[in-house]
Amino acid sequence: EATERRAALLAEIEVGLGRGEFELHYQPIVSITETKSFSLEALMRWRHPRSGMLTPGHFADGFQDSAVRAALGMFMLERIFQDVATLRQQGLPLRRVAMNLTNSDFRSDAFLDRFFELCDETGISPDQFSVEVTEGMFLGLNQKRVNAGLRRLHAAGVEIALDDFGTGYASLTHLRELPIDRLKIDKSFVANMVASREDSAIVRGVIDIAHSLGKVVTAE
């Protein structure tokens, strides 16, 4: 039954992509030091014909399929460039747009090649983008391709952000060995930092480590 449900979900996602049911919503990233511009994080939503607006948590099983992850990643990439071009035409002081990547975006050169093609086609510089990755992407089969892909993006000016920092296994090693520009403190720590002395200490420690390494911090 579980296998049948998953197969049905994968088929629904494929149909939904074809019908244009997926869309991006943008969450602002607000700086406390620089107020003349702003950044955005792209968040995927599925406007399901029967269930209404769904967040990724409601179709997370679909992300277990590498082909579906790759298809959703390519959709996100194409749509982000369209939206950034629109925002630029409107004259908004947009600094960067962040997108969440998965291992499947690095399983071949297709995603990165398309990213740079879109930069050339639209005239939007790579330094107007940030890619968010999680520690889990540095473990497993595509580890070397992920590392190489991130270095290629970083060399072009793309900001690299480590998402959900503090919840993984070897964050400090990754800070030393990978081209990480930004740390995102997981919301589970931020939400309780006023009430919890332990969470407050963790948040303060992450900020101190990041700043001492010359990295930027985002509090979710």
Side-chain angles (χ1 to χ4, degrees):
E1 289 177 355
T3 301
E4 288 178 352
R5 285 196 302 269
R6 182 166 171 266
L9 174 63
L10 297 180
E12 268 199 291
I13 291 175
E14 184 177 359
V15 171
L17 281 170
R19 291 178 176 174
E21 295 171 0
F22 286 85
E23 57 192 53
L24 296 181
H25 291 194
Y26 291 91
Q27 175 172 272
I29 303 172
V30 181
S31 172
I32 61 172
T33 58
E34 203 281 307
T35 59
K36 295 181 180 179
S37 63
F38 63 94
S39 295
L40 298 171
E41 178 183 359
L43 303 173
M44 189 174 295
R45 297 291 183 265
W46 184 3
R47 194 176 294 276
H48 196 280
R50 295 184 305 278
S51 303
M53 188 69 73
L54 301 179
T55 61
H58 290 88
F59 51 96
D61 286 348
F63 285 95
Q64 296 178 18
D65 185 272
S66 58
V68 168
R69 286 201 307 267
L72 290 172
M74 196 62 76
F75 155 78
M76 175 191 66
L77 182 65
E78 300 278 351
R79 181 60 56 84
I80 283 177
F81 270 89
Q82 293 175 20
D83 292 342
V84 171
T86 299
L87 292 172
R88 288 182 58 176
Q89 291 173 1
Q90 294 174 351
L92 296 177
L94 181 63
R95 187 174 184 184
R96 293 181 189 270
V97 173
M99 63 184 90
N100 293 274
L101 301 190
T102 69
N103 293 67
S104 295
D105 297 318
F106 296 95
R107 68 176 184 172
S108 72
D109 293 330
F111 183 91
L112 294 186
D113 289 346
R114 184 57 181 155
F115 173 81
F116 288 108
E117 286 176 2
L118 287 169
C119 287
D120 291 337
E121 292 173 8
T122 61
I124 302 173
S125 173
D127 63 12
Q128 284 219 265
F129 296 95
S130 174
V131 298
E132 298 189 2
V133 296
T134 60
E135 285 189 83
M137 293 175 58
F138 304 127
L139 308 171
L141 298 177
N142 291 333
Q143 179 183 0
K144 291 184 178 180
R145 294 194 65 89
V146 171
N147 291 355
L150 290 179
R151 294 185 189 282
R152 180 182 173 190
L153 289 168
H154 191 263
V158 177
E159 180 188 70
I160 311 298
L162 184 57
D163 202 2
D164 299 335
F165 186 79
T167 63
Y169 301 99
S171 300
L172 299 179
T173 299
H174 295 145
L175 293 184
R176 183 180 62 193
E177 297 178 354
L178 295 169
I180 304 295
D181 302 298
R182 179 183 297 269
L183 300 184
K184 296 188 68 179
I185 306 176
D186 187 69
K187 61 185 177 182
S188 63
F189 297 115
V190 177
N192 296 316
M193 68 181 182
V194 175
S196 168
R197 184 172 61 183
E198 291 81 5
D199 285 355
S200 177
I202 289 172
V203 170
R204 185 180 299 110
V206 171
I207 293 171
D208 289 343
I209 290 172
H211 286 178
S212 66
L213 294 173
K215 303 182 188 303
V216 182
V217 179
T218 293
E220 291 185 349

